[in-house]
Amino acid sequence: MSRTVGAVSRGIRTPIIREGDDLVNVVTKSLLEAFKEENITLHDRDIIGVTEAVVARAQGNYASCDDIAADIKAKFGENTIGLIFPILSRNRFSIVLKGIARGAKKIVLMLSYPSDEVGNHLVSLEQLDEKGINPWDTIMDEKMYRDNFGKNPHPFTQVDYVEFYKNLIIEENCEVEVIFANRATDILGYTDTVLCADIHSRARSKRLLKSAGAKLVLGLDDILTESVNGSGFNADYGLLGSNKATEETIKLFPRNSKEFSLNLQENILKETGKKMEVLVYGDGAFKDPQGKIWELADPVVSPGHTDGLIGLPNELKLKYLADNQFAELKGEELTKAMTEYIANKNKDLMGSMESQGTTPRQLTDLIGSLCDLTSGSGDKGTPVIFIQGYFDNYAND
């Protein structure tokens, strides 16, 4: 073992990206300047991550509440819309909700409880236990909710989302009824026209509703899949992955992320002679242990990436080897034996004892999470991440 440093993740500063910018060239120039400034030695399979936000911004992939409203009217007509399982987020859903309400006559808003699908709580499990309420077999109206639980502001934002979402709908001259339930089919007691706002469970919700006889079932991924009045759109994810831009507009998840990744890979190869891997990343896939909130509000961690990032890690657990195969060795003898064992490991370790306790998740989920944690979500100004040594192991010099 001659090298003392493993994987390194660096945030790369760029100019502020605006609509119409040539993002491939902006990112390439920023990387080349960083490489020179930090005297970085480059390698094949170094990784470049670019946050989805700047990809979508450069594309001008935006839509207004009026655009959302027009698509809602076209797809739902005058029907009462059962809007089920939205997450509790001003950034992610408030402007989307405003647009939906602008295009509807009446909404039955069905909130899951005790929390939304990413862990934002309306009530705590302790409150449910105290009241003896089983969230899987109890449908509550707003009065029952208030009588039992009163006001429950979000612990981080102090927003009462029941009141906040209800008022957003009313302000758009749309009638609203709020209920609380956890089975998608519970909405059918109120309307047979449903818009599923859940993210990761949306396919199941749609399937259950259609099987139960709902007349019209769409998801947020079915809204703005095409341009409306010149708006942005996303053919794959619709409104999923969007977030607030202004009080009247949203930034949509980027389009053609795979194409962007390949173009950046090609440009970097031309400039450096190194074939690096590239991914566009959004939210990381991890959970906050304090707030119990799962970070992943995007439909996927990476909407586009180069082919070298497809697959799962294939790693051995060092501590298992040290405590079992090489328990009697130490010092240089242990280092040599460990290095040789890793260098000659099987190409597929799935299910083996030697890999037990490693992380069998998609590479893009792991690397995208690393990128998200490195770039942060505030004012660091590093929408590009450069990672080295991610694919190295103990046997690499």
Side-chain angles (χ1 to χ4, degrees):
M1 183 183 69
S2 59
R3 216 171 72 195
T4 58
V5 176
V8 176
S9 179
R10 297 176 172 93
I12 306 298
R13 290 182 176 176
T14 70
I16 302 301
I17 306 301
R18 294 296 187 188
E19 181 178 347
D21 286 348
D22 184 339
L23 191 60
V24 167
N25 284 330
V26 171
V27 171
T28 299
K29 182 180 178 182
S30 298
L31 284 165
L32 293 176
E33 290 173 351
F35 298 156
K36 182 178 179 181
E37 179 181 306
E38 296 295 313
N39 194 28
I40 297 172
T41 300
L42 307 177
H43 307 91
D44 289 330
R45 297 211 80 193
D46 288 345
I47 301 170
I48 301 164
V50 182
T51 181
E52 60 83 21
V54 297
V55 180
R57 192 183 302 151
Q59 292 173 345
N61 204 21
Y62 291 83
S64 70
C65 287
D66 286 341
D67 299 327
I68 297 171
D71 210 19
I72 291 293
K73 286 179 181 177
K75 289 171 177 171
F76 287 94
E78 301 290 314
N79 294 310
T80 295
I81 300 173
L83 180 57
I84 70 170
F85 301 154
I87 65 171
L88 308 176
S89 170
R90 291 173 298 177
N91 176 47
R92 288 292 186 170
F93 193 68
S94 64
I95 308 305
V96 168
L97 178 58
K98 184 187 289 190
I100 294 170
R102 192 172 295 179
K105 294 294 185 181
K106 179 179 178 179
I107 289 174
V108 180
L109 179 64
M110 190 170 93
L111 302 173
S112 57
Y113 75 101
S115 71
D116 66 15
E117 69 174 306
V118 296
N120 294 292
H121 277 73
L122 282 173
V123 297
S124 68
L125 290 171
E126 287 74 18
Q127 287 175 296
L128 291 180
D129 292 342
E130 180 184 338
K131 297 295 182 178
I133 293 176
N134 182 341
W136 288 104
D137 64 14
T138 303
I139 301 174
M140 295 190 293
D141 60 17
E142 188 178 359
K143 183 178 185 304
M144 181 178 177
Y145 170 79
R146 293 298 189 192
D147 287 347
N148 280 283
F149 306 114
K151 288 184 175 289
N152 287 275
H154 191 283
F156 294 162
T157 65
Q158 294 302 300
V159 172
D160 181 325
Y161 275 97
V162 177
E163 181 178 36
F164 179 57
Y165 280 179
K166 180 179 178 180
N167 287 340
L168 273 179
I169 296 170
I170 292 171
E171 287 166 5
E172 294 300 326
N173 297 312
C174 178
E175 187 180 347
V176 60
E177 181 177 357
V178 182
I179 63 172
F180 305 80
N182 287 303
R183 294 174 299 190
T185 53
D186 288 337
I187 194 65
L188 296 180
Y190 301 82
T191 179
D192 57 10
T193 304
V194 186
L195 177 57
C196 300
D198 42 345
I199 305 164
H200 307 295
S201 57
R202 64 188 185 276
R204 179 173 185 266
S205 293
K206 290 180 185 180
R207 174 175 55 79
L208 292 172
L209 285 161
K210 291 174 181 177
S211 295
K215 289 185 179 178
L216 176 61
V217 180
L218 297 176
L220 292 183
D221 53 334
D222 298 308
I223 309 300
L224 285 188
T225 53
E226 297 177 338
S227 180
V228 174
N229 300 322
S231 73
F233 66 96
N234 191 298
D236 298 315
Y237 299 112
L239 290 173
L240 291 178
S242 66
N243 50 37
K244 180 178 180 179
T246 72
E247 295 301 326
E248 281 288 320
T249 58
I250 58 169
K251 178 195 65 60
L252 295 160
F253 221 35
R255 303 189 301 268
N256 305 321
S257 295
K258 171 85 171 187
E259 180 183 345
F260 168 81
S261 299
L262 292 171
N263 289 340
L264 180 56
Q265 182 185 55
E266 182 181 355
N267 208 44
I268 290 291
L269 176 61
K270 181 178 69 174
E271 294 291 339
T272 68
K274 302 299 180 183
K275 186 175 182 180
M276 301 186 190
E277 303 299 341
V278 179
L279 79 162
V280 176
Y281 69 92
D283 283 341
F286 49 84
K287 184 175 181 179
D288 169 36
Q290 184 67 34
K292 307 296 188 294
I293 297 170
W294 189 29
E295 172 70 10
L296 188 56
D298 288 329
V300 291
V301 173
S302 175
H305 49 81
T306 52
D307 291 344
L309 298 179
I310 296 172
L312 307 175
N314 188 54
E315 300 176 346
L316 294 163
K317 194 73 170 178
L318 286 185
K319 67 180 183 180
Y320 181 87
L321 298 180
D323 291 341
N324 290 273
Q325 279 88 332
F326 309 122
E328 304 303 320
L329 303 180
K330 59 183 178 181
E332 287 299 321
E333 191 178 8
L334 174 58
T335 299
K336 181 180 179 181
M338 190 81 77
T339 300
E340 290 178 354
Y341 198 92
I342 293 170
N344 295 292
K345 65 184 177 182
N346 293 330
K347 292 183 178 180
D348 184 4
L349 294 167
M350 183 68 72
S352 69
M353 289 300 296
E354 293 98 332
S355 67
Q356 186 171 276
T358 58
T359 310
R361 291 165 55 193
Q362 295 290 334
L363 286 168
T364 50
D365 292 343
L366 293 165
I367 297 166
S369 298
L370 175 58
C371 289
D372 188 30
L373 287 167
T374 304
S375 61
S377 59
D379 56 7
K380 288 183 172 59
T382 55
V384 175
I385 305 300
F386 182 63
I387 301 169
Q388 292 191 293
Y390 190 85
F391 296 107
D392 293 349
N393 60 42
Y394 193 77
N396 297 125
D397 291 328

